């Protein structure tokens, strides 16, 4: 069966510090991968998605970047965090192709607090 | 530009009664809709979906209704249970999309009182 893991679960970082959140998927190959953010009082905002190794699409201009160094690994990064980067970050995956007939599968989430 | 909107941030209902969560969308290319349920500090989990070729889909206590002309969908939970208390997100996608990008609404927090 497929599983998705992301870490760390909780992170408290000062403004201006770097960030690295990691997500891995097991039990499948060539998944589509996504990073979403849930900011306080707001919905789930799509930040990045990837349909293959090294292929990253950014949905919104921001202080963050994403990379996919391996097929089932998706990393969210920042060189210098801003207060506005605080939120709950969610990694997700789906089986690609065949149009969209199924749901996204989400990880457990990472709570980032920037002070 | 909020393409998927859930205009009610919260809803409180009594156990055993019906919960109705609403969602509106603006993009006429959307043809597949999903509802996700999210507990605090956890990732969302899939609840139910509906294709635009249908106007109703039912799964146990959960029913989703789609009104394409009004670009509106709703989730009905009958009967509501305290364990249903969570944040519910509506999501939409153009079914021909091969990127699988779901667009989510802001969420509605449902509280079911015993």
């Amino acid at each position: 069966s497929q599983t998705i893991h992301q870490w760390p679960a909780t992170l408290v970082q000062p403004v201006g510090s770097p960030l690295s959140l990691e997500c891995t998927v097991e039990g499948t190959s060539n998944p589509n991968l996504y990073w979403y953010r849930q900011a306080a009082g707001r919905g789930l905002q799509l930040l990045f998605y990837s349909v293959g190794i090294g292929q990253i699409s950014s949905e919104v201009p921001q202080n963050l970047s994403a990379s996919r160094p391996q097929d089932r690994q998706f990393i969210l990064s920042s060189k210098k965090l801003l207060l506005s980067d605080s939120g709950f970050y969610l990694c997700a995956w789906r089986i690609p192709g065949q149009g969209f007939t199924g749901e996204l599968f989400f990880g457990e989430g990472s709570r980032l607090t920037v002070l | 530009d909020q393409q998927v909107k859930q205009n009610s941030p919260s809803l409180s209902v009594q156990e055993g009664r019906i919960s109705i969560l609403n969602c509106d969308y603006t993009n006429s290319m959307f043809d597949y809709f999903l509802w996700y349920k999210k507990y605090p500090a956890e990732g969302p989990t899939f609840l139910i979906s509906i294709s635009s070729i249908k106007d109703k889909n039912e799964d146990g206590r959960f029913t989703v209704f789609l009104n394409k002309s009004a670009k509106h969908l709703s989730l009905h939970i009958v009967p509501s249970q305290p364990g249903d208390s969570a944040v519910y997100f509506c999501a939409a996608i153009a079914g021909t999309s091969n990127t699988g990008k779901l667009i989510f609404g802001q969420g509605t927090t449902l509280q079911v009182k015993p």
Side-chain angles (χ1 to χ4, degrees):
Chain A
S1 63
Q2 302 93 349
T3 57
I4 179 170
H5 300 287
Q6 60 176 109
W7 67 91
T10 305
L11 200 57
V12 180
Q13 293 285 101
V15 170
S17 64
L19 170 73
S20 181
L21 300 178
E22 188 165 342
C23 170
T24 59
V25 181
E26 298 176 359
T28 187
S29 60
N30 197 31
N32 284 3
L33 296 171
Y34 310 85
W35 279 110
Y36 281 85
R37 176 173 62 197
Q38 182 186 14
R42 303 181 69 178
L44 295 174
Q45 182 184 35
L46 178 61
L47 302 176
F48 301 95
Y49 71 93
S50 171
V51 298
I53 297 175
Q55 300 179 57
I56 307 296
S57 295
S58 175
E59 288 296 295
V60 294
Q62 58 200 311
N63 184 44
L64 302 168
S65 61
S67 61
R68 185 171 177 174
Q70 300 181 43
D71 180 42
R72 292 170 291 171
Q73 183 184 29
F74 206 22
I75 298 172
L76 185 69
S77 304
S78 174
K79 293 182 179 179
K80 291 185 178 181
L81 284 168
L82 305 173
L83 287 174
S84 58
D85 292 324
S86 293
F88 192 58
Y89 289 83
L90 290 154
C91 182
W93 74 275
R94 70 175 285 263
I95 299 171
Q98 305 172 354
F100 192 92
T101 57
E103 72 269 24
L104 288 181
F105 299 93
F106 284 87
E108 309 95 332
S110 298
R111 170 72 60 190
L112 170 65
T113 302
V114 183
L115 302 175
Chain B
D1 177 28
Q2 191 76 26
Q3 297 184 69
V4 178
K5 299 180 182 180
Q6 294 175 256
N7 293 316
S8 298
S10 63
L11 175 67
S12 181
V13 301
Q14 207 67 34
E15 180 179 7
R17 305 295 293 270
I18 184 172
S19 296
I20 300 177
L21 296 95
N22 294 302
C23 178
D24 298 293
Y25 62 97
T26 58
N27 190 339
S28 58
M29 296 299 292
F30 290 149
D31 56 3
Y32 198 78
F33 305 89
L34 306 90
W35 284 93
Y36 278 78
K37 177 180 179 179
K38 182 183 180 301
Y39 292 115
E42 294 183 9
T45 55
F46 171 73
L47 192 57
I48 193 169
S49 63
I50 188 167
S51 165
S52 61
I53 63 173
K54 297 183 177 181
D55 54 18
K56 176 183 175 181
N57 188 27
E58 189 173 354
D59 183 2
R61 297 186 296 113
F62 302 91
T63 303
V64 55
F65 295 92
L66 175 63
N67 182 334
K68 285 181 291 185
S69 61
K71 293 189 174 66
H72 177 83
L73 63 155
S74 61
L75 175 67
H76 293 210
I77 307 174
V78 183
S80 301
Q81 300 174 353
D84 296 329
S85 297
V87 179
Y88 289 79
F89 289 99
C90 168
I93 189 170
T96 54
S97 167
N98 63 359
T99 61
K101 295 191 301 179
L102 280 182
I103 306 301
F104 285 86
Q106 307 96 311
T108 297
T109 300
L110 173 65
Q111 181 185 27
V112 180
K113 298 179 179 179

